[in-house]
């Protein structure tokens, strides 16, 4: 009877099952390195991979890279440049891809995963899926109710039900939250429809679900000054709020009270990351192209011109030079893009 419940070691498993664990277990590049160093099992040859790979773990890292959405969207030339940049080490390539994928400002600390975002007079913090805020607000951006206009220490924001928050974006007068479920909540000054609710009679003092996106799970949100951009898990982009400069991307300057999908960008492929400045938007597609729209002030759109763009327009400089962009960031008066080979990689 005792043998029936005997614990088994992973080394007792057939090699092909071990390989399946490596590529299906949602392991990080660091996890793979630790496994490789912990046992000869992961470093030896099992006849499961070509001799050009250094180990079973190395082959697993290659398979994870090949199936990664960012790597799959790269041209062969860009893939080779990235591989060379990583000293022909597939675990380093995987580390790069996973770093970009998780670069939503969430960082790992000894106290857990955290993300910090700030508005003009306030700060919001995600710590282990809960959101905290402090600072000053007359418009509800702190999320604690109408009775709270100032908060001297970080206080937890309560949602209508138990919620695991994975991302937050805040600007001067409003904030938006993405839940693990893909639901979107907003709070703050909705006079410009930036919170995605039709009711503009009073500020939204506590996080409220954006009903227009019910059934449309999102993975990222970016708050502009008086508008908001939502990125769905399917790679579609929705916008709502003020549209003075065409920052909603619908080809006009009409304000939108609730989130509406940008049809023109759906035609060029799936979007993998977004960023919002005060009155403009940047969007990165799966093939590494960057589209921008909204206010062209200070050349923020990257087209070498300062006029507004009312629909998403590809940044030709990157396209012409074959630069594959993986992430963008939008400031008040400038924008930054990260390409697939310029990240300083951590040795693993």
């Amino acid at each position: 009877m005792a043998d029936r419940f005997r614990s088994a070691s992973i080394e007792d498993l057939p090699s092909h099952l071990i390989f399946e664990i490596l590529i299906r277990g949602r392991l990080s590049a660091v996890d793979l390195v630790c496994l490789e160093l912990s046992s000869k099992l992961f470093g030896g040859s099992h006849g499961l991979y070509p001799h050009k790979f250094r180990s079973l773990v190395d082959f697993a890292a290659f398979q994870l890279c090949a199936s990664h959405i960012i790597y799959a969207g790269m041209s062969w030339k860009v893939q080779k440049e990235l591989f060379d940049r990583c000293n022909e080490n597939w675990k380093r390539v995987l580390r790069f891809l996973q770093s970009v994928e998780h670069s939503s400002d969430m960082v790992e600390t000894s106290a857990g995963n955290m993300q910090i975002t700030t508005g003009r007079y306030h700060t919001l913090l995600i710590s282990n899926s809960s959101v905290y805020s402090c600072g000053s607000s007359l418009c509800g951006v702190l999320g604690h109710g109408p009775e709270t206009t100032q908060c001297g220490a970080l206080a937890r924001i309560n949602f209508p039900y138990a919620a695991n928050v994975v991302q937050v974006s805040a600007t001067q007068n409003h904030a938006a939250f993405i839940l693990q479920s893909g639901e979107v909540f907003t709070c703050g000054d909705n006079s410009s429809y930036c919170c995605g609710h039709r009711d503009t009679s009073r500020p939204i003092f506590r996080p409220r679900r954006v009903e227009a996106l019910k059934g449309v799970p999102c993975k990222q949100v970016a708050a502009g000054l008086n508008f908001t951009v939502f990125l769905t898990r399917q790679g579609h982009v929705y916008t709502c709020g003020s549209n003075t400069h065409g920052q909603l991307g619908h080809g006009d300057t009409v304000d939108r009270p609730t989130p509406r999908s940008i049809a023109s960008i759906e035609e060029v492929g799936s979007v993998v990351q977004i960023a919002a400045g005060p009155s403009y938007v940047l969007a990165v597609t799966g093939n590494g192209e960057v589209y921008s729209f909204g206010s062209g002030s200070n050349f923020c759109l990257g087209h070498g011109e300062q006029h507004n763009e009312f629909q998403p327009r590809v940044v030709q400089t990157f396209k012409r030079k074959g630069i594959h962009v993986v992430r963008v960031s939008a400031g008040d008066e400038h924008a930054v893009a990260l390409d697939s080979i310029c990240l300083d990689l951590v040795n693993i």
Side-chain angles (χ1 to χ4, degrees), residues 158-187:
N158 293 319
F159 284 73
Y161 49 83
N164 293 323
V165 181
V166 296
Q167 194 235 332
V168 59
S169 180
T171 185
Q172 183 171 336
N173 291 319
H174 77 286
F177 313 87
I178 299 290
L179 272 55
Q180 194 171 47
S181 63
E183 295 172 287
V184 182
F185 281 71
T186 56
C187 64

Side-chain angles (χ1 to χ4, degrees), residues 42-312:
F42 302 105
S45 174
H46 300 271
L48 294 176
Y49 55 89
H51 292 298
K52 66 179 180 179
F53 295 101
R54 304 170 184 174
S55 66
L56 186 63
V57 163
D58 203 45
F59 184 49
F62 163 74
Q63 293 286 359
L64 290 170
C65 290
S67 61
H68 198 283
I69 184 172
I70 295 176
Y71 186 83
M74 296 178 180
S75 67
W76 179 86
K77 179 181 178 182
V78 174
Q79 289 177 348
K80 186 178 185 306
E81 288 175 348
L82 177 59
F83 185 56
D84 292 342
R85 167 70 172 165
C86 295
N87 294 328
E88 300 184 348
N89 185 322
W90 286 110
K91 294 184 289 296
R92 291 187 183 181
V93 177
L94 182 62
R95 175 65 177 268
F96 170 81
L97 296 173
Q98 291 177 336
S99 295
V100 172
E101 182 182 21
H102 296 125
S103 60
S104 60
D105 301 324
M106 188 70 73
V107 296
E108 294 183 9
T109 73
S110 59
N113 293 333
M114 292 187 177
Q115 182 206 339
I116 297 177
T117 185
T118 59
R120 189 172 184 179
Y121 300 115
H122 55 274
T123 300
L124 283 85
L125 163 72
I126 296 179
S127 178
N128 292 327
S129 301
S130 294
V131 187
Y132 301 80
S133 67
C134 65
S136 177
S137 168
L138 297 175
C139 58
V141 72
L142 294 180
H144 298 306
E147 66 280 359
T148 304
T149 58
Q150 282 191 323
C151 194
L154 285 167
R156 183 174 178 176
I157 299 176
N158 293 319
F159 284 73
Y161 49 83
N164 293 323
V165 181
V166 296
Q167 194 235 332
V168 59
S169 180
T171 185
Q172 183 171 336
N173 291 319
H174 77 286
F177 313 87
I178 299 290
L179 272 55
Q180 194 171 47
S181 63
E183 295 172 287
V184 182
F185 281 71
T186 56
C187 64
D189 182 3
N190 191 42
S191 59
S192 63
Y193 300 116
C194 59
C195 291
H197 310 290
R198 290 186 178 275
D199 179 15
T200 60
S201 61
R202 58 179 296 181
I204 300 168
F205 290 104
R206 298 183 188 278
R208 182 190 300 176
R209 187 173 67 177
V210 180
E211 294 297 333
L213 291 173
K214 186 177 181 180
V216 184
C218 294
K219 63 179 181 180
Q220 189 194 350
V221 63
L225 186 59
N226 294 306
F227 72 104
T228 309
V229 190
F230 310 87
L231 177 60
T232 74
R233 290 177 179 173
Q234 289 187 323
H236 299 160
V237 179
Y238 286 68
T239 56
C240 66
S242 175
N243 196 25
T244 307
H245 305 282
Q247 61 265 41
L248 300 188
H250 301 300
D252 54 37
T253 57
V254 178
D255 296 348
R256 298 299 193 285
T258 57
R260 176 185 171 186
S261 176
I262 302 177
S264 61
I265 205 168
E266 290 185 23
E267 300 172 0
V268 301
S270 177
V271 173
V272 296
Q273 191 249 332
I274 55 174
S279 301
Y280 71 97
V281 177
L282 305 173
V284 182
T285 60
N287 62 359
E289 294 182 339
V290 178
Y291 286 77
S292 61
F293 49 98
S295 172
S297 176
N298 298 305
F299 304 98
C300 288
L301 299 184
H303 304 303
E305 304 160 345
Q306 294 200 70
H307 62 254
N308 298 341
E309 295 289 341
F310 302 115
Q311 294 189 78

